[in-house]
Amino acid sequence: MSMVPPSLLCLGLCLSQSTWAQKGNLPPPLMTALPGSTVPAKSPVTLLCQGPKQAERYRISRVGSPEPMDKEEQITSRKTNALSIAEMTFDKTGLYHCSYQRGGHWSQFSDPLQLVMTGAYSKPSLSSMAGTVVAPGETVKLQCVSKINYDVFILTKEDGDHVTQNQSSVPNDGGRQTIFLLNPVSSTQAGTYRCYGTFHNDPYVWSQPSDPLQLQVEGTTDSPSLTQPRHSTAPTAWHPSVETQVRLSLAALLLLVMVVLLAEAWCSQGGPSVKSDEPPPQWTDKRR
């Protein structure tokens, strides 16, 4: 099986849609995958077909096959619009779509959902050729490299379950690589990236994910500011805790009491005695 160009995919969907069950003009449902459409091998996933409350039953199928894989599971009663896959395997990957029935008519197909299995092969390596902290407007090059001769590399962003870029590989030092461009980079592109490798004959079976790469864009809330140094050496102000403040207050009060007691004792003894080597004033010799 080879990678399907979007134009051919659209053509195939349109042809199957026009010939399957005489669909009416009902709006298409929304198809989603929980917890996501990129699924580790042997992990569970659930496909949901979300239509209106008036839907009488639902139908989930793989693109290219006009009939469901299992009618008992996929043509169901009202509100039972889920297909649960206990373990993700090679044979369950591919493009899926769904529709619902209302008033004897089937709706249009949902947009296709790409169900991918990961973890089939060794992970590639992902790095940023400009560093992981960049300024807005820069061109960022993310390099995905592997010793395995993958035909294609896929770049994904973790805070959105979708393929960010999909590119063919080129030779690199006994292996394969590709360069993904983020140009120009903006605050919305800050986040965690991973890349995968795959082959043309199994485009929905991917390798293990690369180690995560955290990309920061200066000026965003999660990144260093353009007007501030990345590493500050200014001392941090000391903020004592409430318990420390109470102890300091008690110590100051005790010291004040001791000073008052010492002052009272000093006054009760008449103060310090005055010593002088000069004779009393009446003995001063005034004849000079």
Side-chain angles (χ1 to χ4, degrees):
M1 181 168 57
S2 60
M3 297 293 285
V4 181
S7 58
L8 294 180
L9 173 61
C10 179
L11 177 61
L13 286 176
C14 293
L15 290 175
S16 61
Q17 180 171 316
S18 63
T19 57
W20 184 28
Q22 298 181 349
K23 291 184 169 43
N25 294 321
L26 299 176
L30 173 66
M31 190 169 188
T32 57
L34 298 176
S37 61
T38 303
V39 188
K42 297 184 179 180
S43 295
V45 63
T46 299
L47 303 183
L48 292 178
C49 188
Q50 297 172 277
K53 293 181 180 179
Q54 298 82 4
E56 296 161 1
R57 53 181 185 171
Y58 290 87
R59 192 170 193 171
I60 299 174
S61 65
R62 210 184 327 216
V63 172
S65 175
E67 294 297 329
M69 291 182 298
D70 187 344
K71 293 183 179 181
E72 295 302 321
E73 292 182 6
Q74 297 185 59
I75 297 182
T76 54
S77 60
R78 180 192 299 266
K79 296 184 181 180
T80 308
N81 57 345
L83 171 64
S84 296
I85 298 176
E87 288 190 357
M88 192 63 191
T89 55
F90 288 86
D91 60 314
K92 293 182 175 63
T93 63
L95 291 173
Y96 287 77
H97 58 192
C98 71
S99 63
Y100 62 90
Q101 189 181 48
R102 190 180 71 183
H105 297 284
W106 284 98
S107 72
Q108 302 175 43
F109 280 115
S110 66
D111 290 335
L113 181 143
Q114 177 178 270
L115 193 61
V116 169
M117 187 189 81
T118 66
Y121 322 110
S122 298
K123 66 181 179 181
S125 175
L126 182 65
S127 61
S128 173
M129 302 175 72
T132 57
V133 181
V134 297
E138 288 187 9
T139 297
V140 177
K141 297 180 179 180
L142 301 182
Q143 182 183 36
C144 190
V145 180
S146 177
K147 292 297 182 182
I148 297 178
N149 292 324
Y150 293 121
D151 297 322
V152 176
F153 287 107
I154 303 101
L155 179 72
T156 65
K157 191 166 179 285
E158 285 197 346
D159 52 353
D161 187 22
H162 63 279
V163 176
T164 302
Q165 291 191 38
N166 183 323
Q167 290 185 180
S168 297
S169 65
V170 296
N172 174 65
D173 191 23
R176 307 289 289 186
Q177 73 157 8
T178 196
I179 303 295
F180 297 103
L181 296 180
L182 305 179
N183 181 30
V185 71
S186 64
S187 59
T188 59
Q189 290 167 303
T192 303
Y193 289 83
R194 294 178 186 266
C195 73
Y196 300 80
T198 188
F199 299 97
H200 286 313
N201 59 343
D202 284 311
Y204 306 114
V205 178
W206 295 358
S207 69
Q208 296 178 4
S210 67
D211 292 336
L213 184 145
Q214 183 71 37
L215 185 67
Q216 296 181 340
V217 179
E218 292 177 329
T220 62
T221 55
D222 297 330
S223 305
S225 171
L226 288 170
T227 59
Q228 296 179 353
R230 296 181 185 178
H231 302 285
S232 175
T233 57
T236 304
W238 179 57
H239 300 285
S241 63
V242 175
E243 183 180 357
T244 302
Q245 293 181 31
V246 171
R247 291 181 177 179
L248 291 175
S249 299
L250 291 176
L253 180 61
L254 180 60
L255 180 61
L256 179 62
V257 170
M258 292 177 64
V259 170
V260 171
L261 292 177
L262 289 174
E264 290 181 351
W266 179 76
C267 293
S268 64
Q269 294 178 2
S273 58
V274 179
K275 295 183 181 181
S276 176
D277 294 333
E278 297 182 0
Q282 61 271 25
W283 292 348
T284 303
D285 188 357
K286 297 181 180 179
R287 291 176 296 179
R288 300 179 180 178

